[in-house]
Amino acid sequence: MSLAAFLNLRGEPALVVGGGPVALRRARTLLDAGLRVTVVAPDLHPDFAALPVCAERRAYRPADLEGVRVVVAATDRHDVNDAVTGEARAAGVLVNHAGDAEKGTLRFPAALERGGVRVAVSTGRELPVLAQALRERIESLLPEPGTVDAWAARREEALGLPAAAREGAMDALRADIRAAFGLPGAGRPGGAA
C-alpha cells in the first residue's frame, strides 16, 4: 500500500543520477515541480543543455546525496541504480529507482493539472501505459479552467453568507458540480464542498 500525496518541494534540491532519456524525463518532471536539479552522469543526453540544471559529467559518488531531498536513480546500470537507491533510502531521502520502482520510496504517476485541479494516476504496478491512458481519459472529463474558477468564486461567496443561506448556496453548487459530471443527486456524501 502506498501513501498518495502531493508534496510541495518547490526550491528543494534534487539529484538525478543518469544522463539518458529516462533521466531527462525525470529531470523535467522535477523542474516542473519547482525543484533545483543536479544531474550527475559521465554522458548526458544533448537536451539537458537546454534545461536549467546543474550538470556534472562524472560518475555518482555517495557524497552527492548530502542535502538532497529527492533522488532519481536512472542510469542504464542496475548495480548503480541499486547502490544509489540503497544509499538514498539509508539517508532518509525520497528516491525513485527508474528501473525497479519497488526498490525506491517514490514513484512518478501520470499527472495532469487544469484550472487548479490536479490529478495523479498510478497503477500500483509496472503498467505506466495503463496509467497514461487513464490520465488521458480523466483529462477529457475535467472542466475548463474558467468553469473551475466560477465554482471556486461561488464557494467563496457562499462562505460569506449567513448559515441558512450558506447551506442553500453550497447545496446548489454541489448539485451543479455533480450535474456537470453526470452524477446523480446533490446529496452531501463528503461534507462541505
Side-chain angles (χ1 to χ4, degrees):
M1 186 62 144
S2 297
L3 171 67
F6 287 94
L7 303 174
N8 181 356
L9 295 172
R10 183 170 302 284
E12 296 289 342
L15 172 68
V16 175
V17 180
V22 174
L24 181 64
R25 282 196 310 275
R26 296 291 195 254
R28 286 180 173 143
T29 298
L30 295 170
L31 290 168
D32 288 346
L35 283 88
R36 293 180 294 115
V37 178
T38 298
V39 179
V40 173
D43 298 304
L44 296 173
H45 190 286
D47 289 356
F48 273 111
L51 298 181
V53 300
C54 175
E56 298 184 25
R57 290 180 182 266
R58 60 173 175 77
Y60 161 79
R61 297 185 294 242
D64 293 331
L65 296 175
E66 291 178 23
V68 172
R69 295 288 304 270
V70 176
V71 175
V72 173
T75 73
D76 57 2
R77 292 188 47 196
H78 296 295
D79 61 324
V80 173
N81 290 343
D82 289 348
V84 171
T85 300
E87 291 162 4
R89 287 184 74 131
V93 177
L94 293 171
V95 60
N96 171 257
H97 188 303
D100 187 349
E102 290 293 324
K103 291 182 178 178
T105 58
L106 175 67
R107 290 179 185 225
F108 290 97
L112 68 112
E113 181 174 352
R114 184 190 300 160
V117 175
R118 292 177 193 95
V119 179
V121 179
S122 175
T123 61
R125 49 185 62 183
E126 296 305 311
L127 287 172
V129 176
L130 173 59
Q132 183 64 31
L134 290 169
R135 186 202 73 80
E136 289 174 19
R137 178 67 175 124
I138 292 167
E139 184 174 28
S140 73
L141 298 172
L142 288 179
E144 293 300 318
T147 302
V148 175
D149 291 343
W151 288 338
R154 283 178 59 191
R155 180 179 186 274
E156 290 302 313
E157 183 179 316
L159 292 176
L161 297 174
R166 177 176 49 239
E167 187 173 325
M170 293 299 274
D171 284 344
L173 173 59
R174 188 174 294 104
D176 288 350
I177 290 173
R178 292 182 65 82
F181 291 100
L183 298 172
R188 298 185 67 123

